[in-house]
Every structure is written in C-alpha cells, then in structure tokens.
C-alpha cells in the first residue's frame, strides 16, 4: 500500500532519478534516513523496476522515429519465437507491441535517417515471413514521456 509521500517520491524519481536523497527528502518532508528507507522499500517491492539514463536522440545521431506495422498469416509459437529472435537482434527497434484488431504488431524504431530503414527491413524479411509490413515516419513528436501516472496504485 502506497501513501501520498510514496507517490511523490515515485513522481520525483521518474522526473530525475539522479536526485540526491537529501533533496528528495526535503521535497517530501521526510528525514534523509526515512526517505532512503522508503526508496529501498519501493525498490524491494518492485515499484521501482530499474533506474536508467535517457540519452538525447539527436545528439546520439538518431533523430528519426519510424513505426512499422506488421501483419502475419502465421500465429504459431514457432513463428513468434522467430520474430522475437529477429527483433531482439536489432537495437534500432526500441519497442514492439502485439496488438488487437487488424494489425498484429507495431514496432517503434529510432534511426539516423529514413534511408536506414531499408537495412532493418531487409534483415526482418530475411529472418521472418510476413503477410504485410509497412512503415510510417513520425513527422513530429507531440508527447513523449517515460513517466507513469502514480495515482492508480493503491
């Protein structure tokens, strides 16, 4: 069971995981040791899955976002395993979602330029059989966040 202070700690850490415990404690009106214990409990209980650094994509040479729509005629376990293996070997594929409806999978790719997609496409179709695969380039990101809302957790 989380209280408002726990939620605030989670919100603040999602905003900046490098925030010093002393600053965090001040912001949630706790002593440093009490705040540290809460963070440790949140980690042990799995609310904090891991702490990561988010890199600046343009500075990393990856300003282009593409979404690839995949439809397959096969839904067997062996096809899915082939697909999982193929996507896991391509670091430019940063998210993959299995969907309901007429689309089977959506892949999110980060690329240095649109033309780089051709190599990814060739690699995928060489390793996995698809019914249909198409791609769209994101022209503008209107919202992007890694922060989750904390008000749903009890």
């Amino acid at each position: 069971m989380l209280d408002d202070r726990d939620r605030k700690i989670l919100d603040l850490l999602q905003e900046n995981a490098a925030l010093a415990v002393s600053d965090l404690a001040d912001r949630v009106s706790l002593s440093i040791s009490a705040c540290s214990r809460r963070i440790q409990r949140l980690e042990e209980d799995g609310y904090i899955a891991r702490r990561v650094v988010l890199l600046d994509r343009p500075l990393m040479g990856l300003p282009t976002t593409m979404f690839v729509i995949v439809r397959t005629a096969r839904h067997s376990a062996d096809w899915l395993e082939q697909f999982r293996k193929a996507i896991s070997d391509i670091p430019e594929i940063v998210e993959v979602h299995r969907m309901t409806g007429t689309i089977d999978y959506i892949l999110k790719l980060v690329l240095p330029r649109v033309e780089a997609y051709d190599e990814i496409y060739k690699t995928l179709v060489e390793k996995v059989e698809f019914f249909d695969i198409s791609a769209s380039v994101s022209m503008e990101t209107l919202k992007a966040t890694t922060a989750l809302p904390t008000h749903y957790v009890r």
Side-chain angles (χ1 to χ4, degrees), residues 35-58:
C35 186
S36 182
R37 283 192 303 274
R38 282 182 184 244
I39 293 168
Q40 184 177 2
R41 181 180 47 82
L42 291 167
E43 289 174 334
E44 289 169 357
D45 291 349
Y47 291 101
I48 299 173
R50 66 180 189 256
R51 297 183 196 203
V52 299
V53 172
L54 300 177
L55 303 178
D56 183 283
R57 286 186 37 209

Side-chain angles (χ1 to χ4, degrees), residues 58-125:
L59 288 176
M60 295 303 296
L62 298 164
T64 304
T65 303
M66 292 192 75
F67 293 93
V68 177
I69 307 299
V70 169
R71 292 187 332 160
T72 180
R74 297 179 53 207
H75 296 277
S76 64
D78 65 318
W79 183 92
L80 182 56
E81 188 54 38
Q82 278 183 311
F83 184 57
R84 285 182 199 269
K85 175 71 172 118
I87 60 177
S88 70
D89 291 340
I90 303 171
E92 293 85 355
I93 300 174
V94 295
E95 287 185 40
V96 178
H97 300 267
R98 188 166 57 92
M99 308 298 292
T100 62
T102 59
I103 296 169
D104 293 313
Y105 300 90
I106 293 179
L107 291 65
K108 179 181 176 182
L109 284 69
V110 294
L111 301 166
R113 61 194 180 292
V114 172
E115 295 81 10
Y117 171 65
D118 190 46
E119 285 302 313
I120 307 290
Y121 172 82
K122 288 175 184 175
T123 300
L124 283 173
V125 298

